[in-house]
Amino acid sequence: MFVLDLIGVFFFAVSGSLLAARRDFDIVGSVMLASLVGLGGGVIRDLVINQGVPNAFQQPLYVVPPLLAALAVYLHVFGVRRLRRTLLLFDAGGLALFCVTGTLTALESGMGAVTSVLLGLTTAVGGGVMRDVVANEIPQVFQPQGIYAIPAVAGAALTSLLWNLDWFNVVTGSAVAALVFTARGLSLRHRWRVPLAGRAGSGGMP
Amino acid sequence: MFVLDLIGVFFFAVSGSLLAARRDFDIVGSVMLASLVGLGGGVIRDLVINQGVPNAFQQPLYVVPPLLAALAVYLHVFGVRRLRRTLLLFDAGGLALFCVTGTLTALESGMGAVTSVLLGLTTAVGGGVMRDVVANEIPQVFQPQGIYAIPAVAGAALTSLLWNLDWFNVVTGSAVAALVFTARGLSLRHRWRVPLAGRAGSGGMP
Amino acid sequence: MFVLDLIGVFFFAVSGSLLAARRDFDIVGSVMLASLVGLGGGVIRDLVINQGVPNAFQQPLYVVPPLLAALAVYLHVFGVRRLRRTLLLFDAGGLALFCVTGTLTALESGMGAVTSVLLGLTTAVGGGVMRDVVANEIPQVFQPQGIYAIPAVAGAALTSLLWNLDWFNVVTGSAVAALVFTARGLSLRHRWRVPLAGRAGSGGMP
């Protein structure tokens, strides 16, 4: 599970470094943004669980994925074209892994089935919200292109269900993450939409 | 007190969903923004108090107000015209209730009279700041239209005073909240202003 | 050390009040922004350390620097011209002091040498990020003008080294802060740059 968590950190970190590149931040800003998005959600999760110092500040290994991500983006490992699309894919990978590992951490700390789902969702979307807010963009969870929170909450709920049935293991956990990733990816490709917040589209009204 | 807290969550949640409608977020984003503003201040408060898992992640009932708020806004229960004014009213309601319940929670956790006022103020303005920041607006507490922090800090101070005099109960607490709401509402209607941060209006200077 | 911490709070608070003046916030917003930037980083630090209520909510004296800062800016103590430059200087002072006191607090709470450096860096940059985010600016740590995180992380690492060698005291601590401040100031004056996040400058690509 620790490895899955680190991979999730790396995915989110790449999304942060790609956004840093798009915004012409320098490489130090790239490391900082990668760390914020990669570690931010987990720190919130650990603060809520309230069992000692958050993992990211206990285990120095957590700084490796952001450093690697910033280096990879600097070297154009993921190409320079279609940065935005690549960013969305890595973000989806982080979302998929964190809704599983976040929910699991909550369950293992003794939280209930429903509240663990909420904390898993918070973990999954929290880092990305911070990334977009500091880069002055509307966070993806609020952008009506594709679906974002729905696959995350579904993945968290599945994780909670599997865990309570004692069916949760690395294989089923990875399958849930793969499902979440696929749903998010399909929703972007086929531009799935859900209804707007106000029925008749009241946007722009005073 | 738990009921008053839930009502405060609902007021703030409506303000979040109304902002989501104005910004053409979808209904899932509406639920997320309603949750952020409704629960964010209380989570900060509980993290600071540091007595176990924050309420919003312990008591699943806390997700009901954001869901109701998003539904009500979707169905145009509050009308589609003058969204901004309705938003400000609901925000004032949340502010009024949270400066009372936030201060009370702090006092009951054993914090001092002054620091409880600070935490009550933080609880009252915290959720709204997060709502406006993620929607890319200048938070209301920083907008020089009407007064915002002053009624909140006055309500928190009154709550702290009443509690220390052993006069605090549901009736006096509700009266304080009503006072705060009235002061905030009057200040908006009559455009009360306080002096700018720099005496001579240094804004826009390099 | 408590005094150094209060001076750091004051430096950051002045930067917040100056930004409030530039943005034409009112004087209450000035106090709020000064408090956010002055106390925000330390509150994050104390939440991570997880040893009781954060200092800023335990020791009422912490509200004095933000009040003084807002008053000083209101009275134009620092002049009205070149607000931005003055803001950057005070911000550098806060950064320099907080990377030392933040790392020290982490070390004294029992955290390891590396993770204490990370928490010191987080403390030093956290308040400034929140200040810039709520005022709708790209945080300075992400702006490629001068270097920001590098002197902070170097100062945190030096603090950690000195502490582990038992050479840390008020004199050496102040020397480290002076070094960080000097490095940040020189980097602004001479426009030091580090490479961009993407090698060939991929900014603005789709």
Side-chain angles (χ1 to χ4, degrees):
Chain A
M1 243 25 231
F2 175 61
V3 174
L4 278 192
D5 205 32
L6 277 185
I7 298 173
V9 172
F10 179 72
F11 281 167
F12 267 137
V14 171
S15 80
S17 288
L18 287 170
L19 185 56
R22 258 183 96 201
R23 286 301 180 98
D24 280 328
F25 292 176
D26 63 30
I27 194 163
V28 178
S30 176
V31 172
M32 301 298 287
L33 193 56
S35 306
L36 182 72
V37 56
L39 307 176
V43 169
I44 296 176
R45 175 199 65 205
D46 294 346
L47 289 179
V48 166
I49 288 177
N50 200 21
Q51 297 187 335
V53 174
N55 287 345
F57 287 102
Q58 260 192 339
Q59 170 55 273
L61 271 183
Y62 273 102
V63 302
V64 175
L67 290 172
L68 281 182
L71 185 68
V73 167
Y74 178 69
L75 297 175
H76 292 176
V77 169
F78 309 110
V80 283
R81 302 182 66 96
R82 304 212 276 191
L83 267 190
R84 181 169 166 71
R85 201 179 138 185
T86 315
L87 191 164
L88 289 173
L89 277 183
F90 275 96
D91 180 76
L95 183 81
L97 285 164
F98 272 25
C99 73
V100 175
T101 60
T103 307
L104 190 70
T105 311
L107 288 163
E108 284 177 344
S109 83
M111 283 174 62
V114 174
T115 48
S116 292
V117 170
L118 296 178
L119 191 52
L121 174 64
T122 305
T123 309
V125 305
V129 167
M130 289 195 266
R131 173 197 62 211
D132 295 341
V133 160
V134 301
N136 214 357
E137 303 213 332
I138 298 288
Q140 284 182 29
V141 68
F142 297 120
Q143 287 184 14
Q145 52 172 2
I147 54 175
Y148 193 89
I150 292 176
V153 80
L158 263 174
T159 302
S160 183
L161 186 68
L162 289 170
W163 194 83
N164 279 291
L165 295 171
D166 252 334
W167 291 352
F168 189 89
N169 53 48
V170 176
V171 176
T172 55
S174 304
V176 172
L179 271 175
V180 173
F181 180 80
T182 308
R184 169 70 179 148
L186 285 176
S187 85
L188 282 171
R189 170 176 293 261
H190 299 294
R191 298 167 190 273
W192 294 352
R193 303 286 294 255
V194 288
L196 289 183
R199 207 168 29 172
S202 35
M205 290 240 171
Chain B
M1 249 17 234
F2 175 62
V3 174
L4 277 193
D5 205 32
L6 278 184
I7 298 173
V9 172
F10 179 73
F11 281 167
F12 267 137
V14 171
S15 79
S17 289
L18 287 170
L19 184 57
R22 259 184 95 201
R23 286 301 181 99
D24 280 329
F25 292 175
D26 63 29
I27 194 162
V28 179
S30 176
V31 173
M32 300 298 287
L33 194 57
S35 306
L36 182 72
V37 57
L39 308 175
V43 169
I44 295 176
R45 175 199 64 205
D46 294 346
L47 289 178
V48 166
I49 288 176
N50 200 22
Q51 297 187 335
V53 174
N55 287 345
F57 287 101
Q58 262 193 338
Q59 169 54 273
L61 270 183
Y62 273 102
V63 302
V64 174
L67 291 172
L68 280 181
L71 185 68
V73 167
Y74 178 70
L75 297 175
H76 293 176
V77 168
F78 310 111
V80 282
R81 302 182 68 95
R82 304 211 277 191
L83 267 190
R84 181 169 166 70
R85 201 178 138 188
T86 315
L87 191 164
L88 288 172
L89 278 183
F90 275 95
D91 181 77
L95 183 80
L97 286 165
F98 272 26
C99 72
V100 175
T101 60
T103 307
L104 190 70
T105 311
L107 288 164
E108 283 177 346
S109 83
M111 284 174 62
V114 175
T115 48
S116 292
V117 170
L118 296 178
L119 191 51
L121 174 64
T122 305
T123 308
V125 306
V129 168
M130 290 196 266
R131 173 197 62 209
D132 295 340
V133 160
V134 301
N136 214 358
E137 303 213 332
I138 298 289
Q140 285 181 28
V141 67
F142 299 119
Q143 287 184 13
Q145 52 174 2
I147 54 174
Y148 193 89
I150 292 176
V153 80
L158 263 175
T159 302
S160 183
L161 186 69
L162 289 171
W163 194 84
N164 279 290
L165 294 172
D166 253 334
W167 292 351
F168 189 88
N169 53 48
V170 177
V171 176
T172 55
S174 305
V176 172
L179 271 176
V180 173
F181 180 80
T182 307
R184 168 70 179 148
L186 285 177
S187 86
L188 282 171
R189 170 177 292 261
H190 299 294
R191 298 167 190 274
W192 295 352
R193 304 287 294 256
V194 289
L196 289 183
R199 206 169 29 171
S202 34
M205 289 240 170
Chain C
M1 250 15 237
F2 175 62
V3 174
L4 277 193
D5 206 33
L6 278 185
I7 298 173
V9 172
F10 179 72
F11 280 168
F12 267 138
V14 171
S15 79
S17 289
L18 287 170
L19 185 57
R22 259 184 95 202
R23 286 302 180 97
D24 280 328
F25 292 174
D26 64 29
I27 195 164
V28 179
S30 177
V31 173
M32 301 299 287
L33 194 57
S35 306
L36 182 72
V37 57
L39 307 176
V43 169
I44 295 177
R45 176 198 65 204
D46 293 346
L47 289 179
V48 166
I49 288 177
N50 200 22
Q51 297 187 335
V53 174
N55 287 345
F57 287 102
Q58 260 192 339
Q59 169 55 273
L61 270 184
Y62 273 101
V63 302
V64 174
L67 290 172
L68 280 182
L71 185 68
V73 167
Y74 178 69
L75 298 175
H76 292 176
V77 169
F78 309 111
V80 282
R81 302 182 67 96
R82 303 212 276 191
L83 266 191
R84 180 168 166 71
R85 201 178 138 187
T86 315
L87 190 164
L88 288 173
L89 278 183
F90 276 96
D91 180 77
L95 184 80
L97 285 164
F98 273 24
C99 72
V100 174
T101 60
T103 307
L104 190 70
T105 311
L107 288 163
E108 283 177 345
S109 82
M111 284 174 62
V114 174
T115 48
S116 291
V117 171
L118 296 178
L119 191 52
L121 173 64
T122 305
T123 309
V125 306
V129 167
M130 289 195 268
R131 174 197 62 210
D132 295 340
V133 160
V134 300
N136 213 358
E137 303 213 332
I138 298 289
Q140 284 181 29
V141 68
F142 298 120
Q143 288 184 13
Q145 53 173 0
I147 54 174
Y148 192 89
I150 292 177
V153 80
L158 264 174
T159 302
S160 183
L161 186 69
L162 289 170
W163 194 84
N164 278 290
L165 295 171
D166 252 334
W167 291 352
F168 189 89
N169 54 48
V170 176
V171 177
T172 56
S174 305
V176 171
L179 271 176
V180 173
F181 180 80
T182 308
R184 168 70 180 149
L186 285 177
S187 86
L188 282 171
R189 170 177 292 262
H190 298 296
R191 298 167 190 272
W192 295 352
R193 302 288 294 254
V194 289
L196 289 183
R199 206 169 28 172
S202 33
M205 290 240 170

